[in-house]
Amino acid sequence: MRAEKHLLHLFRFCPRCGSGAFAENDSQSKRCESCGFVYYFNPKGAVAGIVTDDNGRILVCRRAKEPAKGSLDLPGGFMNPAETAEEALVREIREETGLTVTESQYLFSLPNVYPYSGLDVHTIDLFFVCRVAPDGNLNPQDDVAECRFMPRDEISPDDFGLSSVRTGIERFLKMSPNHR
């Protein structure tokens, strides 16, 4: 049986002093035996927007890049430092679709693992239901190949490539069908 890799297995040197004596401290951290610096591997914040229109349809996007290239997704992405979740939601939806969020409501959160540059980035994905300005021009941009509004009854959670988004859309579809 293969031993599970430490979350920080790619981090071999202390980021404070550069020492190679950067060893496992516990399952979520490493400690430098030279200077005492401890680094914890905490989840990165991310947002996902469930954008609905007046007919109750949901905006879905097709991923243009790995991971899960070609699968369906919701608009969203990583939060930046000093940015609220709501600010990240507005920015990500504009960057990926060209649309402007006019209102949003927090729904729930789900953990996720997002493979990036050879590292499994653990995230906490915050899901929001939101509306966009009616005069917006839907235009796939950034890491989105295409986007469109789909009727709820045509959406299959299995078509979503990221596990948290798959679970999130499934959970949302089970909510009141009138939730907009």
Side-chain angles (χ1 to χ4, degrees):
M1 182 196 290
R2 187 176 75 108
E4 191 71 25
K5 287 183 181 178
H6 190 271
L7 289 171
L8 294 168
H9 71 276
L10 295 178
F11 294 77
R12 297 189 329 246
F13 300 96
C14 175
R16 179 194 275 166
C17 72
S19 170
F22 198 46
E24 292 179 19
N25 187 50
D26 60 30
S27 65
Q28 297 179 57
S29 69
K30 279 193 155 183
R31 182 180 184 284
C32 179
E33 295 170 0
S34 296
C35 73
F37 176 76
V38 178
Y39 180 78
Y40 282 90
F41 188 82
N42 296 313
K44 176 98 171 113
V47 294
I50 301 174
V51 180
T52 62
D53 69 7
D54 290 337
N55 298 316
R57 298 178 306 167
I58 298 171
L59 179 63
V60 298
C61 300
R62 189 155 313 274
R63 295 183 61 82
K65 299 178 181 176
E66 295 297 346
K69 180 179 179 178
S71 67
L72 291 184
D73 199 359
L74 295 172
F78 291 114
M79 295 169 55
N80 291 331
E83 182 177 54
T84 68
E86 293 82 3
E87 290 167 340
L89 181 73
V90 169
R91 176 185 51 76
E92 285 287 345
I93 289 175
R94 185 174 344 168
E95 286 176 1
E96 294 183 352
T97 69
L99 300 176
T100 302
V101 173
T102 57
E103 60 183 275
S104 65
Q105 178 185 1
Y106 172 77
L107 294 173
F108 50 81
S109 64
L110 293 168
N112 190 28
V113 178
Y114 189 88
Y116 185 78
S117 292
L119 183 67
D120 285 340
V121 179
H122 291 250
T123 67
I124 185 68
D125 297 350
L126 307 173
F127 288 79
F128 292 82
V129 64
C130 46
R131 302 296 297 257
V132 293
D135 58 351
N137 183 21
L138 185 58
N139 180 24
Q141 304 171 74
D142 195 27
D143 55 359
V144 172
E146 67 174 297
C147 45
R148 63 187 170 103
F149 282 91
M150 285 181 68
R152 290 172 184 239
D153 61 356
E154 292 180 17
I155 294 176
S156 171
D158 291 337
D159 294 337
F160 290 78
L162 301 176
S163 64
S164 68
V165 175
R166 186 178 322 114
T167 301
I169 197 72
E170 184 173 40
R171 187 168 168 182
F172 181 77
L173 292 172
K174 288 179 181 175
M175 296 171 116
S176 166
N178 296 325
H179 200 295
R180 295 185 184 176

